[in-house]
Amino acid sequence: MNTPPDADAHGGNLLALAARAGTSPENLLDFSVNVRPEGMPDFLRGAVLQCLDRADAYPSPYAEEACAAASAYLGIPQDCILFGNGSNEHIHALPRILAPAEALIIQPAFSEYELACRRADIPVRHEYTSPDTGFLPDLDSIAAHAPLGGCIFLANPGNPAGTILPPGSILRAIDATPDTVWIIDEAFIDFAGEQHSLLTAAPTRNNLIVLRSLTKFYGMAGIRTGYAAASPRIIAALRDALPPWSIGAASIAAAVAIFTSPETAAFAAEQRELTRARREHLDAQLRTLPGIETYPSAANYILFRWTNAPADLIGTLLREHCTALRDCSNYRSLDQEPWYRAAVRSHADIDTLAAALHTCIAPPQPRIEAPSLRRPRRTPALMLQGTCSDAGKSILTAAFCRILLQDGYDVAPFKAQNMALNSGVTALGEEMGRAQIVQAAACRLDPDARMNPVLLKPHSDMGSQVVVLGHPTGHRTAREYFTSKRELWPIVRQAYDSLAAEHEAVILEGAGSPGEINLKRADIVNMNMAMHAQAAVLLAGDIDRGGVYASFLGTWMTFTPAEKRLLAGFLVNKFRGDSTLLVPAHDYLRTVTGTPVLGVVPMIRGINLPEEDRAAFTFAPDNPAPEAERLDIALLLLPHISNHTDFAPLAAEPDIRLRPVRTAADFGSPHLVIIPGTKNVVHDYRAICEAGLADLILGHAAKGGHILGICGGLQMLGQRIDDPHRLETEHATHPGLGQLDLATTFAPEKTLLNIARARTPLGVPTSGYEIHHGISTAKETCPPLFFREDGSPCGYGTDRIWATYLHGLFDDDDFRRAYIDRIRTLSGLRPAGKNLTVCNLEHSLNRLADIVRENVDLRHIYRSMGLA
C-alpha cells in the first residue's frame, strides 16, 4: 500500500495506530482525532440509511440538494456555497484556482495548508504565534504585512491550540487588506458557536473564503462532507476546479439532514454544552500531572506542553494502554518541546487517559500515585439484554451465572433496575427482585441488595414504590422517576463497582429493551450500564412471539457505534423445532450487522424457576392427573398482585389444577381459594368487590370451602384495614372480608424479614420471607397458626381459613405436600402421601445450565468477556 508521507500524522489513522499498538482498530482509545466520539446522531444515521435505497443512482454532480438546503438554513445565496469531499478538498483546490503570489500561514496550523500550496508551486511564508499569548495571532501585524496579491490561511478556532478570535477583529483585518484573499478555516467553529462564524460575511467580500467541515461536530469523518462559502465568482472558479460527483449520496443526505432537520438546533446546543463539560474535565485531569501546561480551547481538543514527558510517550501509550494521543512535533514551532493534543471524549475515557499517563511516568521521576484517577481493573462481565420484555433475560442470566460457577469462576449477578412485584428479602432485611435472588442462588451467593440496587414496585399504571439498595424511599410517578434517574445513576455505578471488585466475573441483566429510544437518554439499566461495566452484550429474542430477526435488526440499528462494539452476539430463545432451518436468517443477520448469532436456546419446560415478572401461569405439569382427581385451586389474579412466584411450585404439582381467576365467570367451584399478596391492598379489595368475586368468596366460605390468604390476602380476610397515614388511599379505615377476627394497620415503615424456619399448624416447618406495611392484631377467636423463630406469630386462622404473612412458603417440598394432602383429604380426594414434585433449586439450575451450555457458542462468549 503506497501511503503518502505523513498520511497518519494528523491522527485518526486507525490501521496505522492499531499496527503500532499490536491490536485491532476497535480496541483503540483514540484521542488523536477530533471527532465526536459517539458518531453520528440518530437523525443523521437515519438519513444515511435511507439514502442506501437510492445507491443505484448517481448523486447530483455538485451536491445541489445540499447547497440548496444550506442556502435556506444559513441565509446565503446558493451560488455562494459549494460542497466538497470534506473541507480538505477545497484546501487543495484553492491554491490552484487563486494562484496567489504568496501564501501566508498563521502557525502552528493544519499542515495541509502548506502541503496544498507547495503542490501548486505557491511560495509559503509563516507567521508564528506564541504560547505566551495563548497562540492568539496579532491581526493588526498580520494585516500590515499581508502579501499583496497573495492569500492568508487562518484557522478559527486554531488547530492545534483551539484559540478563538472575535469575528469583528478578523473582518477589520480582511477589510484592511482588499488585495489579499483570506481563507478562514472554521472546521471546529460549531463547538464554539455560530456567533463566532464569518459565514454570512463571505458572499459580500471578494477577498474572503470560509471553509466549513461537517465531519467533526456531527461525528461523520468517514463520510467526508464540507463546504466553502465565498463570492459567486470564487465559488464558480472552485466548482470548475473540482470533478463532478466528488461527494457521494450518503454525504449529500447527511448534509441535507443537518440543514433541514428540526432536531439540528437542539442537538447542536446539547453537543456544545457536553463538549464544554468534557473539555473542562479533560483540562482538570491533565493538570494533575506534574509539568503539564494546558492552553484554553474553544474546540473539542486541548493542546498541552509536558516539559518532563517520559520518552516515547506516544509509543508507550499505544503499546501498553492501546491509547492514541496526538504528537504535535510535526506542527511548525512545536517541534522544540514535547507538545501534545488530546481530543475531548467521554468522562470515563478521559479518566482512562489520565490513569494511563500517570502510569507512563517512569524513573528517575517520582511515580505519581493518583488513586482517584485510576479506574479499577474491569471485572470480566457479560450482559443479557432482550429485544422486548419477557424475552427470557432473567432465566438466561441465571443460566450463565450457573455455567460460570460450574467452570470455576467466582461470579455474581447484577441488575441495575428492576420493575417487579416479585421481590424477596435478604438475610440483612434488604428487599430485592426475586429473579436476582434466584440468580444469586445460581452463583451460590447470599442475596445482596447491591445485585439489584433499584427496584420499582408498581402500585398503579402511573406510579411505583422505589426501593434503593434494599430500602423503600417513597413513591414516585413515572415522570418523577424518569427525572430522578440522574440521582440514582451514581448509586447504581457504585453498587456495581463494589460488587464487581469482590468477584471474578459479573453477569448483568438488562430490562425491557435497549431499543426503547424514548428511554435511552436516562438509561441506567441497559447500554449505559453495559458501557460502564464494559460488558460483552448478548441480545436475546423470543422467537416464539414471531418477528425475532426483525427485532434483532431493529434493536441493533438503535445502537450507537460504541454500543455496537459491545454487542458480542444474538441469542434466539424459546425455539421449537430444527434449528438448522434458521441458518439463512443467521447468515443474513451476520452479513448486515457483522454480529453473529451465538446460540439457539430451545423452549425449556419444567424448570420451575421464576422467568419474568408476569402474572400468567403458562407452566403445567408434564403428566397431569385425570381432571376428577385433581385439587381445583382458584388463584385470584389481583390487579396489583405481587410475588406470584409463591405459587409456581403449586402449579408444577401433577395432582393440582391451579386456575387464574380474574372475573366472577372464572371462579367455578374450587376446593381452595387463594388470595395472594398485592402492592395495593385497598384498591384490589375494591376490585374484587366490583368484579363480584368478594360475594363468591364469602359464599365459598359459608359452604365450608378452604381459603388461604398470603400477606395482602391475610389483610383482606380480616375485619378492617386502617390507613392512618394514607399510604394507599385518602380514607383512614376500610372494611375487609370479615372472615378472620383480626385488624390491620398500615405503618410507614415496611416490615422486611427473612424467616429461615417457621412453625406451621401441620407440624412440618417451612421457610419464607415477609414484605408488608401492615401490622395485624388478632382476637382470641382467631388463633395464631404460623410462628417465626422467635415465637412471634406470622399467620392466623380457623379450621378451613388460613392466612399468613409468609411469602415463599410453598418452596419447601415437604410443607407443600403436607398442605396439599390436608386440603385433598378434607375435600374428599385421596392424598398422595409422598412428594410428587421436587422444586429443588440446585437441580433446576444445573439442568438449565446444561441446556443453555449445549446450545450456545460458549467459547466465543468467553472470548468476548476476556476469559479465553
Side-chain angles (χ1 to χ4, degrees), residues 450-463:
R450 291 177 300 171
M451 298 169 181
N452 178 205
V454 179
L455 174 64
L456 306 179
K457 303 189 72 176
H459 58 76
S460 70
D461 291 341
M462 297 295 290

Side-chain angles (χ1 to χ4, degrees), residues 439-517:
Q439 291 159 7
C443 300
R444 296 202 181 107
L445 295 174
D446 290 331
D448 183 327
R450 291 177 300 171
M451 298 169 181
N452 178 205
V454 179
L455 174 64
L456 306 179
K457 303 189 72 176
H459 58 76
S460 70
D461 291 341
M462 297 295 290
S464 297
Q465 182 186 55
V466 181
V467 179
V468 178
L469 290 175
H471 301 284
T473 62
H475 294 76
R476 301 184 196 180
T477 66
R479 182 171 294 278
E480 289 170 342
Y481 176 71
F482 186 81
T483 57
S484 71
K485 284 186 179 182
R486 286 177 182 260
E487 306 163 16
L488 295 173
W489 181 226
I491 297 172
V492 166
R493 294 199 314 265
Q494 186 176 10
Y496 177 83
D497 290 343
S498 173
L499 188 69
E502 297 174 8
H503 299 277
E504 295 175 335
V506 181
I507 309 297
L508 297 89
E509 181 187 343
S513 164
E516 293 171 358
I517 298 167

